[in-house]
Amino acid sequence: MLKSLCFFFVLLSFTLSAQKQIVPFDHVLTNNELVELLDVDADSGLKKIQAAYHAGKEEKALRMLTEYFKNKLSDRYFFSWKDFGQRFEMYNKMYSGRKEYHKYKAKQHLDLYSAWTNWKIPFTNLKGEEVSSYPYRHLTRQHKAGDIALLFYFTEDTDYLHYIPKQAESLNEAFNKGEVETIADGNGAYEAYRAGNRMYNWLFVHQCLLASDQYTWQEQLVMIKTFLHTGAKLYHHNPKYNEGNHQTRGMSALGMLGILFKEIKGADQWWTRATNRLEEHLEKEVYKDGFQFERSVHYHVDDIDNYFYPYQLAKMNGVSLNPIWDQRLKGMFDAMLQLAMPNKNLPVLQDDTNDPWAEVNKVEDIMALGSALFGDKKIKYFAGKKLPSKYYWLLSTEQVEKYKAAKASKPKMSSTDLPHTGYYVMRNGWKEENQYMVISAGLTEEKPDHQHGDMLGIQAFAYGNMVLPNYQVRYYLNDLEEFKNSWTKNVGLVDSVLHGREWKGNKGGSGFGKWGKLPTPKLINWTTTDEIDIFIGSHDGYKDLNVDTYRQVFFIKDGFWIVRDHYKSKDEKHTYQQVWQGHYDAENDIHVRSVFPNGAGLEIIQLGNRPDFIRRKSSRGKGRTIFEVENAKNTTFTSLLYPFKDFENRIHASSQYEDLKLAGWNMISKEDNQVIESNSSMGVSKKGITLLFDCSQLKIKNAEILMSNSSDLLIKKKGEEWEIANCGILELKLTLGGHVVDLKPGKSVQIEL
C-alpha cells in the first residue's frame, strides 16, 4: 500500500511538473511566467536572462528576452528583418502602386476599429455600426494587419507602427477579463481558423516592425506574449483530429510558432501536435487524386496555404518532415492541372467565394507558388509572369530568382478525371477556342459543408467564353441559398425540387450555411477516346419521389456535346426540368441560343421529345433557361450543345434535324440507308464512327445483332472488325450467331463480319 502511494505521488509530481513546462492557456503570461518558461538548457543566453530576472533586474531581463527573440526571428522567419529595407525597396520596384493599395486595404480596418478595441459582441464600431458575427470574424482574423504595418514604412507615421501591438494588448486584456467571444458560442476569437489567420498576419507585422528602432521592447513583449498565449490556446483546443480547413489553419500557425519560439518549454509539443494533426489532414482530406475533400477550388487553395506555411519554415530551418508533405502538396498542384481550363483558369466548384458571381477561379497566384516550390514547367504555364506580392514575402530570394528564370510548358493531356473527388473533365485542346467541360459527380460524405446542389451538374467553356457557367458565392448575401442550389446550376430537376435540402445556418450566425440533405452520386461509366468522351451517372436525389435519374454526356471532340437526361418514375406522373445557365433567346420551341461579347455563342437544341415549355428567369443578372415536360411518368431530354465561333457558324433556326452538319458529323435517322441499319431515330455519324440513341434493332452488313433491350451504341469500324460499345444506362445483352455477350455500360465487344 505504501509503495503504491509513493508511486502515486511520484506520478502526480511528474504530472504537475510536466504541466508547468507548457504555456498556460487560461490566461496571458505574466512576466515571471514567461521568464520561467525559457528552456535555459537550449541556449546559454537564456540562463543569463533568467539570472538577471531572479536578481531583481526585471526590466533588463525582459529587454534581453525581446532582443534574444528578435535575433532568432531574423534567421527563422520567411525573411530576415535585417534585410527588410532592401526587400521593401525591391518590393516597390516589382509591384507598382503599393502605397495606395496598402492604404486602401488598411483603411478598411482602421475606419472601423480603434487600436484598443472591444472583443465581445455586439459592440459599436467607429462608424456607429453594430459589430455582429460576420464583421467580428474579420476583426479576429486581422487580414489587414500587414497592410497597416507596411503603411508605416510608406508614411513613417508611427500611429501605424503602434496600432497592431496596441490591438494585441487589448485582446490580451479582454481575454484575462473574460470579455472575448468563446468557441462554444460559435464566434470564438481563438477558434482555430480565426486564431490561425491572426497569427499569420501578426507574425508578419512583428517581423516587419522589428526593422524599426521605434518598435519598443515593451511592444515586442506584448506581441511575444500574444503569440505564446494563442499557441497555448491552439494546442489546448486541438487534441484530436477535426475535419476541415479550420483546424488546418490553426495547426499551420501552431507549427510556425513551434519553430519560431522553440526555446519556450513545450514548443516542441506544439510542433508535434501541429504536424500530427496536419499529417492526418493530408492523409484523410487530400484525396489520392490530389484534390481537397471539400471539392471547392477556394478551399483547395486555402489548404495549400495552410500546409505551405509550416512546410516552408521547416525547410528553411532544417526541420525534417515526413514524405507525405512533399507527395501530397505537389499532388494538390497536379490536381489543379487536371481541372484547368484552356484560358488558364479553373471552373467554379462548390463554395468558391473570392469573387461573388464570378464564373471562373483565377489561379495564377497559387500556381506561381507551385512553380516556385517544385519547378514544374506545366505549373508555371498557369502562373503569371510576376510572382504575386503575397508570396514575395514568404519565399527566399533564391526561390524568387528561380521563379523568374523558370520556363513554362503547355500541358499535353486531353480529357482527365479526379475519380476520388468526383470531377470529370472533357477537353480537346489548350487553345482559347478549344472546348472544355467539367462534370460534378462527387459528394464529401464526411463534411459536405461547402457542397452545392449540383449533382451531375456541368460547366462548359468554348471560344473564350464560359458558355455554361456556375457562379461564386458570398456567405453573408441574402441569396446565398439560391446560388448554392440547383436553379443556378446546369442540372436536371423533378417537380422543381432542388438537390440541396434542409438548409442549416452555422451556430455563430456569420452567414455560412450548408445543406442537411444532398443527393448521393453513382458513376456508371467514364470513357475517354480520341474521338468521343462518354460520362454516365445517376444520383438518388429523387428517391423519395420514386424517380430514378440518369445523365449521359457525350463529347464529340470535333466540337460539341450531347447531353441526355433520363427520368424514370415507378408510379406517379411528374414535371421534369432541365436547367441551363446563361442568357438565351428562343429561336423556336426546341432551340435556344446564347451569344457572347466576342460574337461566339452556344446553341441548345432538343433532339428528341419536344418540351412543353421553355421558361426563363434570372437572379443578380445571371440568367437561366429551363426546358420542362409536364405530367409524364418517364421522359428523356436529349440536348445538343453546340458552341459556335461566330455568326457564320451558327445553326439556323429553320434547320431541319436531318440537315444538321456538326463539325463534320452528320445527324442520322432510321430512314438512312447505310451499312449500319437500326431503328434508332437519333444519332450522329462520321466516317467509320456511329453513335446511335435508343437502338433496339441493329444490323451491320446484313448481319443481324439481337439486343435484349433498347440502348445507346457507339460503333466503330476497325479494319475488318467492328467494335460495339454499350453507351446506355443499363446492361445490355448482344446475340450474334448464337453467341451472347453481356455488355455493362461502357463495355465493348469486337466482332468480325
Side-chain angles (χ1 to χ4, degrees), residues 583-615:
H583 295 281
Y584 297 91
D585 287 323
E587 298 299 301
N588 52 51
D589 59 356
I590 62 169
H591 180 181
V592 298
R593 176 186 297 134
S594 182
V595 181
F596 298 90
N598 64 352
L602 176 68
E603 316 275 10
I604 303 181
I605 301 174
Q606 294 299 320
L607 299 179
N609 300 326
R610 288 180 178 270
D612 294 321
F613 299 98
I614 299 178
R615 305 186 189 276

Side-chain angles (χ1 to χ4, degrees), residues 231-292:
K233 293 288 285 182
L234 288 168
Y235 179 82
H236 172 72
H237 289 301
N238 293 276
K240 62 181 182 179
Y241 166 80
N242 289 311
E243 290 116 342
N245 70 312
H246 279 234
Q247 188 176 69
T248 54
R249 178 59 51 96
M251 293 300 93
S252 176
L254 183 63
M256 292 172 63
L257 293 169
I259 289 177
L260 296 174
F261 296 97
K262 64 182 181 181
E263 290 84 3
I264 298 296
K265 292 177 181 177
D268 57 336
Q269 297 177 51
W270 291 1
W271 174 251
T272 299
R273 175 159 295 179
T275 51
N276 285 346
R277 289 294 88 79
L278 288 169
E279 287 174 13
E280 285 179 280
H281 284 264
L282 282 166
E283 180 65 37
K284 297 175 181 178
E285 296 180 9
V286 179
Y287 288 139
K288 291 181 180 179
D289 57 28
F291 209 71
Q292 201 263 4

Side-chain angles (χ1 to χ4, degrees), residues 197-429:
N197 271 300
R198 193 164 64 248
M199 289 302 94
Y200 283 4
N201 297 315
W202 281 1
L203 281 167
F204 176 76
V205 168
H206 185 61
Q207 188 75 351
C208 290
L209 297 185
L210 285 173
S212 172
D213 293 335
Q214 298 179 79
Y215 188 33
T216 68
W217 70 267
Q218 293 96 333
E219 290 174 316
Q220 294 175 45
L221 187 64
V222 166
M223 297 305 289
I224 291 170
K225 288 182 179 181
T226 306
F227 296 142
L228 298 180
H229 176 241
T230 306
K233 293 288 285 182
L234 288 168
Y235 179 82
H236 172 72
H237 289 301
N238 293 276
K240 62 181 182 179
Y241 166 80
N242 289 311
E243 290 116 342
N245 70 312
H246 279 234
Q247 188 176 69
T248 54
R249 178 59 51 96
M251 293 300 93
S252 176
L254 183 63
M256 292 172 63
L257 293 169
I259 289 177
L260 296 174
F261 296 97
K262 64 182 181 181
E263 290 84 3
I264 298 296
K265 292 177 181 177
D268 57 336
Q269 297 177 51
W270 291 1
W271 174 251
T272 299
R273 175 159 295 179
T275 51
N276 285 346
R277 289 294 88 79
L278 288 169
E279 287 174 13
E280 285 179 280
H281 284 264
L282 282 166
E283 180 65 37
K284 297 175 181 178
E285 296 180 9
V286 179
Y287 288 139
K288 291 181 180 179
D289 57 28
F291 209 71
Q292 201 263 4
F293 81 138
E294 302 207 63
R295 307 184 68 249
S296 155
V297 175
H298 174 99
Y299 287 92
H300 182 85
V301 170
D302 204 46
D303 253 358
I304 287 177
D305 276 347
N306 292 339
Y307 299 123
F308 161 69
Y309 278 86
Y311 173 88
Q312 174 80 343
L313 276 190
K315 296 281 187 178
M316 294 176 68
N317 286 274
V319 178
S320 61
L321 291 166
N322 288 326
I324 192 173
W325 285 81
D326 282 307
Q327 295 165 1
R328 292 292 166 92
L329 193 54
K330 175 60 164 60
M332 294 180 82
F333 289 100
D334 291 338
M336 287 194 289
L337 292 180
Q338 304 295 314
L339 285 172
M341 298 162 57
N343 62 356
K344 300 185 180 181
N345 296 318
L346 260 65
V348 174
L349 300 167
Q350 316 309 324
D351 269 355
D352 292 332
T353 67
N354 281 340
D355 302 300
W357 315 314
E359 299 178 358
V360 297
N361 280 293
K362 296 178 180 178
V363 293
E364 60 182 9
D365 286 2
I366 195 65
M367 290 303 212
L369 176 63
S371 174
L373 289 178
F374 300 108
D376 190 314
K377 293 181 179 179
K378 295 188 295 297
I379 296 175
K380 180 65 183 289
Y381 175 77
F382 294 93
K385 293 181 179 179
K386 187 184 298 183
L387 188 73
S389 59
K390 170 184 176 180
Y391 295 117
Y392 169 82
W393 295 105
L394 306 177
L395 295 169
S396 67
T397 302
E398 181 183 359
Q399 286 174 312
V400 172
E401 293 304 316
K402 185 178 178 181
Y403 176 81
K404 290 179 182 177
K407 303 295 183 183
S409 177
K410 185 183 295 187
K412 296 180 180 179
M413 61 186 167
S414 182
S415 300
T416 56
D417 65 312
L418 299 177
H420 300 282
T421 311
Y423 288 127
Y424 300 86
V425 177
M426 299 171 166
R427 59 165 70 87
N428 60 4

Side-chain angles (χ1 to χ4, degrees), residues 3 22 53 69 93-94 161 208 284 321 329 341 440 450 506 508 522 553 560 576 593 608 627 630 645 679 726 733:
K3 194 172 182 180
I22 62 174
Y53 192 85
F69 281 112
K93 288 181 179 178
M94 288 179 64
L161 182 149
C208 290
K284 297 175 181 178
L321 291 166
L329 193 54
M341 298 162 57
S440 178
H450 298 291
N506 72 331
K522 179 183 178 182
V553 183
F560 62 95
Y576 301 114
R593 176 186 297 134
F627 292 108
E630 291 188 332
K645 184 177 182 179
N679 67 336
N726 177 16
K733 290 183 184 293

Side-chain angles (χ1 to χ4, degrees), residues 182-202:
T182 65
I183 294 174
D185 291 334
N187 288 306
Y190 292 88
E191 182 271 331
Y193 192 81
R194 298 177 183 196
N197 271 300
R198 193 164 64 248
M199 289 302 94
Y200 283 4
N201 297 315
W202 281 1

